[in-house]
Amino acid sequence: QVHLVQPGAEVKKPGESVKVSCRTSGDTFTMYYMHWVRQAPGQGLEWMGIINIGDGIASYAEKFRGRVTMSGDTSTATAYMELRSLKSEDTAVYYCARDGPIKFGTWGQGTRVTVSS
Amino acid sequence: SYELRQSPSLSLSPGQTARITCSGDALTTRSASWFQQKAGQAPVLVIYKETQRPFEIPERFSGSISGTTVTLTISGVQPEDEADYYCQSTDYSGVYFVFGGGTKLTVL
C-alpha cells in the first residue's frame, strides 16, 4: 500500500522560503503525478499545483505562479514544494496528494507551516 | 476563475439520508470527486468519477450527476460520518484543479 510521508511542521519568518517534502513509500513506480493542496486555519482546501514526477513538468494555480516551485527526485521517490516570499497568510497545512491509479487517491498527513515574526 | 459551489452546512440525525450538492458549469464535461475530512485529519477520497467508490469506502456512500450538479449521498448517516465534505473537479481546460468550499455535516 502506498503511503506519503511528510514532515510534521515548519516555522518560518515573513519573507523566507519553505521547502516541504513528500516521500512515497510502498511502491517503486516513478511515473506519477503529485498535487499540492493547502488549508489555512478554519478554511477549505486550496489546490496549488501539480507535477509529473517522471519528467518534472509542473502546472501551478494562477494565485501561486511565480512564487512556487514543485519538483521531484525519482531516486528517493520524494516530491518537493517550495514557496517563497512567505507572508502570514501562507500559514496553513500543506498536503501532497498522489494520482494513480485514482486522482487524489492517496494523501500525506500534512505539514503545518507557520509564518510568524 | 472557475468555482464549484457547495452549501455550507447540513445537520441530520443518525439514520437519515444526507444529500450534499456541488454545482459548476464545467461539470457537464469534467470529472468530479468527493472527499471527506474529519477534524484534524487529512482528506480521504470517498467518490471519484462522479459515481465510483473506492473499495474501502462503505456502501452507504454514493455519487450521482445531473447536468451541472453532482451529488454525494450518504444513506443512513452514522455518527462517524460527521465531517467536512469537499467536491473537486477541473476547469474547462482540464489543466487547473479546483475544490468546492466544503459542506460541514453534523450528525446530531
Side-chain angles (χ1 to χ4, degrees):
Chain A
Q1 187 178 4
V2 175
H3 293 282
L4 302 180
V5 181
Q6 299 183 238
E10 299 264 7
V11 179
K12 296 292 181 182
K13 291 183 169 21
E16 293 185 336
S17 299
V18 67
K19 191 170 186 178
V20 180
S21 63
C22 171
R23 181 175 58 83
T24 298
S25 68
D27 75 16
T28 57
F29 195 57
T30 59
M31 302 293 289
Y32 55 87
Y33 288 89
M34 190 74 81
H35 300 267
W36 289 90
V37 177
R38 79 176 187 179
Q39 187 171 37
Q43 302 300 308
L45 302 173
E46 182 175 31
W47 183 77
M48 299 180 68
I50 182 173
I51 181 168
N52 181 326
I53 296 297
D55 62 18
I57 295 175
S59 294
Y60 305 127
E62 184 175 357
K63 176 177 178 176
F64 301 101
R65 222 166 285 157
R67 207 161 64 94
V68 70
T69 300
M70 296 176 187
S71 59
D73 183 343
T74 55
S75 67
T76 60
T78 302
Y80 299 94
M81 186 284 300
E82 181 180 35
L83 189 62
R84 300 177 291 277
S85 302
L86 289 169
K87 301 168 272 193
S88 58
E89 306 91 273
D90 294 316
T91 293
V93 177
Y94 289 76
Y95 295 100
C96 56
R98 180 172 147 167
D99 280 358
I102 304 172
K103 279 185 168 54
F104 294 99
T106 304
W107 291 65
Q109 75 271 36
T111 298
R112 184 172 303 277
V113 175
T114 302
V115 183
S116 174
S117 54
Chain B
S1 60
Y2 182 61
E3 292 184 352
L4 295 173
R5 300 174 294 278
Q6 294 183 241
S7 297
S9 63
L10 180 63
S11 294
L12 295 171
S13 298
Q16 291 187 302
T17 295
R19 292 182 181 86
I20 300 172
T21 61
C22 171
S23 298
D25 293 341
L27 289 175
T28 54
T29 58
R30 293 300 173 190
S31 184
S33 300
W34 287 96
F35 298 87
Q36 176 194 66
Q37 186 180 34
K38 296 182 179 179
Q41 298 183 20
V44 172
L45 178 72
V46 294
I47 295 290
Y48 64 100
K49 293 184 180 178
E50 293 86 48
T51 62
Q52 303 302 300
R53 186 182 64 248
F55 73 91
E56 67 273 18
I57 301 301
E59 289 185 7
R60 64 179 181 274
F61 289 84
S62 63
S64 61
I65 181 167
S66 177
T68 59
T69 299
V70 291
T71 300
L72 171 68
T73 300
I74 310 173
S75 302
V77 294
Q78 304 294 312
E80 60 265 31
D81 298 332
E82 183 164 290
D84 294 325
Y85 290 87
Y86 295 91
C87 61
Q88 175 274 318
S89 185
T90 64
D91 66 358
Y92 284 104
S93 73
V95 174
Y96 300 105
F97 294 74
V98 63
F99 288 91
T103 298
K104 183 176 185 61
L105 173 63
T106 301
V107 182
L108 304 167

